[in-house]
Amino acid sequence: MDRIEAMRVFVTALDEGSLAAAGRKLRRSPAAVSRAIAFLEQHVGAELLHRSTRSIKLSEAGERYASACRRVLIDLEEADMSVAGERAAPRGTLTISAPPISGEEILRPVIDAYLDAYPAVSVNLILIDRHANLVEEGIDVALRVAQLPDSSLVAVRVGGDVKRVIVASPRYLAAHPRIVEPADLTRHRIVTTTHFGHDAWIFPPPPGGTIARSVHFKPRLVVNSVRAALASAVNGHGITRLYTYHVAERVQDGSLKIVLRDAEPAALPVHLLTPQGRTLAPKVRAFVDFAVPRLRAEFARLSAQADALKD
């Protein structure tokens, strides 16, 4: 059996979540998929997958081998693309990751338009509130709201004014102690998300100071959903911290009020990220060229909307 093809079967099984689903994706029988995995396990001399009737789980050795397989397959694809060059038309499956809200509301309409423009491409959009490892997880493009560390990733800036704000409902604020400085938050009910700080929020130094302020708290509610945190705050159950584009409509209609405007952290940039070399892929290059001007226009609109919010 061809080892590269067996690697493709292995990675597809991981992406699809089961051997049966991989078979359907690759148009192979479950027995053929099982044989490919067994071939790899025999080759490396270790069990790669723990199998059950409905699911699969990577072994410790399998986790290391899966990362290596993804790198090998990407290198092979990039080698093919370097020869094909500009003659190749965008085709295949493009895997994109993004935070849930910005992925759904900002990026998804861009993807819809891209799919209309490039009918030979399909998109796998992964909405996650964590910074995925693009190479190890087989992601072609990621939308990321954050300061970027130095890395081998290719970054294209599409926005630069995403702010984090503290909000609560007027009803909640009227019934609880006044909030003048960040330390006052310790006397309040905090609704937080794992992405925005599980038990502490960081604020810039006070006027004339040089040390950032860290406010530690025991949250009353922790959720992994921005929408859940937003709804809880709107319903008067506590204070939360979110991005301006999460809360803009609710602030404008009076459901939420922004506090501590003079203690907001610096605005965060927004980038499209791709692994080094992936821009050689026509589907990736076409998407970046298509998405960047549209995302810049949308984030500029959101920035203007944020500047217009009243505290």
Side-chain angles (χ1 to χ4, degrees):
M1 180 175 290
D2 180 83
R3 183 148 49 110
I4 297 301
E5 187 58 30
M7 285 181 177
R8 288 195 176 95
V9 173
F10 176 51
V11 169
T12 302
L14 298 179
D15 292 341
E16 297 298 315
S18 72
L19 301 186
R24 290 191 293 271
K25 176 87 172 182
L26 299 171
R27 296 183 180 179
R28 296 177 177 229
S29 68
V33 173
S34 295
R35 283 197 300 271
I37 304 299
F39 168 79
L40 289 179
E41 291 178 326
Q42 183 178 10
H43 177 78
V44 301
E47 185 182 41
L48 300 176
L49 294 175
H50 301 305
R51 303 166 178 80
S52 70
T53 56
R54 294 187 178 180
S55 64
I56 55 176
K57 181 179 179 182
L58 281 170
S59 66
E60 186 176 342
E63 290 182 2
R64 296 191 299 270
Y65 194 67
S67 296
C69 286
R70 292 188 190 279
R71 289 193 296 270
V72 167
L73 295 174
I74 287 172
D75 287 344
L76 285 172
E77 185 179 355
E78 288 173 358
D80 291 341
M81 290 183 299
S82 68
V83 175
E86 294 296 328
R87 293 174 298 170
R91 59 182 175 79
T93 300
L94 182 69
T95 301
I96 304 173
S97 74
I101 300 298
S102 54
E104 292 177 28
E105 299 181 358
I106 300 172
L107 187 59
R108 195 267 312 151
V110 175
I111 291 173
D112 286 346
Y114 170 77
L115 291 173
D116 288 340
Y118 295 95
V121 180
S122 58
V123 170
N124 178 25
L125 177 59
I126 303 171
L127 301 176
I128 48 176
D129 249 335
R130 63 176 175 83
H131 291 171
N133 186 311
L134 273 58
V135 174
E136 292 186 359
E137 298 183 45
I139 295 170
D140 297 303
V141 183
L143 180 70
R144 192 161 293 176
V145 183
Q147 296 290 350
L148 298 180
D150 292 336
S151 73
S152 61
L153 298 175
V154 178
V156 180
R157 187 159 173 156
V158 295
D161 295 302
V162 176
K163 296 179 180 178
R164 290 158 288 178
V165 292
I166 307 294
V167 294
S169 71
R171 177 164 57 91
Y172 174 89
L173 293 172
H176 292 82
R178 190 178 175 208
I179 303 171
V180 178
E181 59 181 1
D184 294 335
L185 294 173
T186 58
R187 297 185 291 164
H188 286 265
R189 299 177 61 171
I190 303 297
V191 177
T192 189
T193 68
T194 50
H195 183 62
F196 281 85
H198 186 276
D199 56 7
W201 289 337
I202 307 299
F203 295 86
T210 59
I211 300 176
R213 290 168 284 183
S214 179
V215 177
H216 293 265
F217 49 78
K218 183 177 180 181
R220 292 298 303 276
L221 175 63
V222 180
V223 294
N224 64 352
S225 161
V226 166
R227 285 196 174 91
L230 182 65
S232 185
V234 167
N235 289 329
H237 296 296
I239 294 173
T240 194
R241 170 182 257 182
L242 297 170
Y243 290 142
T244 44
Y245 62 79
H246 294 150
V247 305
E249 290 185 8
R250 292 302 195 175
V251 172
Q252 289 171 339
D253 69 17
S255 302
L256 291 175
K257 183 177 177 66
I258 299 176
V259 298
L260 296 175
R261 293 296 317 241
D262 59 351
E264 290 173 5
L268 294 171
V270 188
H271 294 87
L272 280 184
L273 304 179
T274 58
Q276 194 74 250
R278 294 303 290 160
T279 51
L280 291 172
K283 63 185 179 183
V284 176
R285 185 175 64 248
F287 179 77
V288 172
D289 291 345
F290 186 91
V292 164
R294 290 165 174 79
L295 290 174
R296 283 176 176 165
E298 180 60 9
F299 278 106
R301 184 189 70 80
L302 292 171
S303 176
Q305 184 184 56
D307 289 341
L309 295 178
K310 303 297 183 181
D311 61 6

